């Protein structure tokens, strides 16, 4: 099962739910494509005023579905297409959406999870949520545009610790660092985020769209695409990191 991205409605609030049972909602390639399609559809809908992005079964997203990686990651052209077309296709559609986006974060929020949360306007987490991007253990870096996104939203110092030390932070620390707006006791997150979304629904939808457009304009030039950034595709460390993870053994670099 490759996972799904589900869209449900609560009146004028849309909920986008990441679902990959048994994998803490890790993003498959199909899920990235679905994420793009869902947000492109939401952008054109006048009946929706707010979007909640959440994960299923007590987790937000544990990263990418590493079981798929040997099929394409060791070829530079295929690796670039994955990051630039599929991953950035989904993230770019989120960033381009003029509706207010609320991230409802619990459990694991790693790698791709941090990236998707970074696309949201307001981030609310349960106290037990954990954040990081420990992909250095897998022998590869974060793609350039994804790195720029996380560094902008989580802060350069936090991004450096996540990427260079494989640091993992709890929700309280991520709020202190400015990434989270609110941290709530476990078990209270769903109702609190929906109530917050309903407050947004009561406000001017035109103002929300214009504010989103203005906030995007303040971000300046587009993030780099990183020519040559995927030349590591066939490297020994890249292969070792992913092979070791799938074999459930420590990597040897």
């Amino acid at each position: 099962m490759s996972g799904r991205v589900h869209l449900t409605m609560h009146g004028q609030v849309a909920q986008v739910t990441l679902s990959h049972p048994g994998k803490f909602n890790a993003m498959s390639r199909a899920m990235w494509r679905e994420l793009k399609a869902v947000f492109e559809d939401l952008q054109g809908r006048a009946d929706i005023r707010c979007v909640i992005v959440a994960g299923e079964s007590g987790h937000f997203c544990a990263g990418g579905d590493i079981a798929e990686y040997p099929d394409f990651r060791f070829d530079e052209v295929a690796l670039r297409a994955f990051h630039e077309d599929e991953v950035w296709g989904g993230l770019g559609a989120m960033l381009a959406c003029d509706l207010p986006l609320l991230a409802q974060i619990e459990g694991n929020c790693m790698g791709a999870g941090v990236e998707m949360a970074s696309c949201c306007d307001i981030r609310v987490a349960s106290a037990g949520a954990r954040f990081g991007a420990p992909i250095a253990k897998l022998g590869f870096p974060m793609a350039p545009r994804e790195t720029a996104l996380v560094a902008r939203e989580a802060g350069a110092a936090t991004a450096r610790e996540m990427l260079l030390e494989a640091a993992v932070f709890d929700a309280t620390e991520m709020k202190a660092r400015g990434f989270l707006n609110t941290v709530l006791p476990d078990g209270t997150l769903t109702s609190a985020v929906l109530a917050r979304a309903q407050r947004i629904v009561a406000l001017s939808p035109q103002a929300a769209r214009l504010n989103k457009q203005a906030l995007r304009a303040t971000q300046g030039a587009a993030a780099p695409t990183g020519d040559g950034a995927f030349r590591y595709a066939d490297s020994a460390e890249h292969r070792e990191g992913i092979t070791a993870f799938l074999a459930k053994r420590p990597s040897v670099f």
Side-chain angles (χ1 to χ4, degrees):
M1 188 175 188
S2 63
R4 293 296 306 273
V5 177
H6 300 292
L7 178 64
T8 55
M9 299 299 301
H10 307 281
Q12 292 178 298
V13 177
Q15 179 162 321
V16 175
T17 303
L18 311 170
S19 173
H20 201 162
K23 295 197 174 185
F24 303 125
N25 308 321
M27 292 292 286
S28 66
R29 301 183 75 176
M31 289 172 72
W32 283 117
R33 293 190 292 267
E34 286 184 357
L35 186 73
K36 178 182 178 181
V38 165
F39 273 93
E40 287 179 342
D41 175 66
L42 290 172
Q43 171 70 345
R45 291 182 58 170
D47 60 323
I48 298 171
R49 295 192 175 188
C50 185
V51 181
I52 295 170
V53 182
E56 196 172 66
S57 302
H59 293 276
F60 190 69
C61 171
D65 184 0
I66 299 168
E68 294 183 335
Y69 284 6
D71 294 339
F72 68 91
R73 283 201 68 100
F74 306 134
D75 176 80
E76 183 178 349
V77 174
L79 181 59
R80 170 181 279 276
F82 168 66
H83 280 287
E84 294 295 312
D85 300 337
E86 295 179 0
V87 176
W88 196 258
L91 297 175
M94 292 181 72
L95 291 168
C97 185
D98 289 333
L99 297 165
L101 308 186
L102 301 184
Q104 177 179 308
I105 306 167
E106 55 187 336
N108 286 316
C109 182
M110 301 288 169
V114 175
E115 293 172 6
M116 287 183 286
S118 294
C119 295
C120 295
D121 301 296
I122 296 170
R123 293 177 281 266
V124 183
S126 62
R130 299 167 69 250
F131 302 80
I135 53 177
K137 294 180 179 180
L138 299 174
F140 62 88
M142 187 174 280
R145 288 204 284 189
E146 297 159 48
T147 303
L149 170 65
V150 172
R152 185 182 73 224
E153 295 297 318
T158 298
R160 287 188 176 98
E161 288 181 85
M162 286 182 175
L163 294 173
L164 301 180
E165 292 185 344
V168 174
F169 301 106
D170 63 21
T172 300
E173 180 66 19
M174 289 300 281
K175 183 177 187 301
R177 291 172 178 238
F179 185 69
L180 297 174
N181 296 87
T182 306
V183 176
L184 298 170
D186 293 339
T188 66
L189 186 64
T190 300
S191 58
V193 171
L194 184 56
R196 196 160 188 159
Q198 295 293 357
R199 291 197 293 273
I200 291 174
V201 164
L203 303 173
S204 163
Q206 175 179 265
R209 288 179 177 271
L210 293 173
N211 280 327
K212 288 285 302 263
Q213 292 165 17
L215 287 165
R216 275 201 301 273
T218 67
Q219 293 168 2
T225 58
D227 289 340
F230 304 104
R231 289 176 186 157
Y232 68 87
D234 194 35
S235 68
E237 290 186 13
H238 189 199
R239 288 183 178 275
E240 166 63 10
I242 290 171
T243 300
F245 180 91
L246 294 174
K248 297 181 170 56
R249 65 169 175 81
S251 301
V252 180
F253 296 123

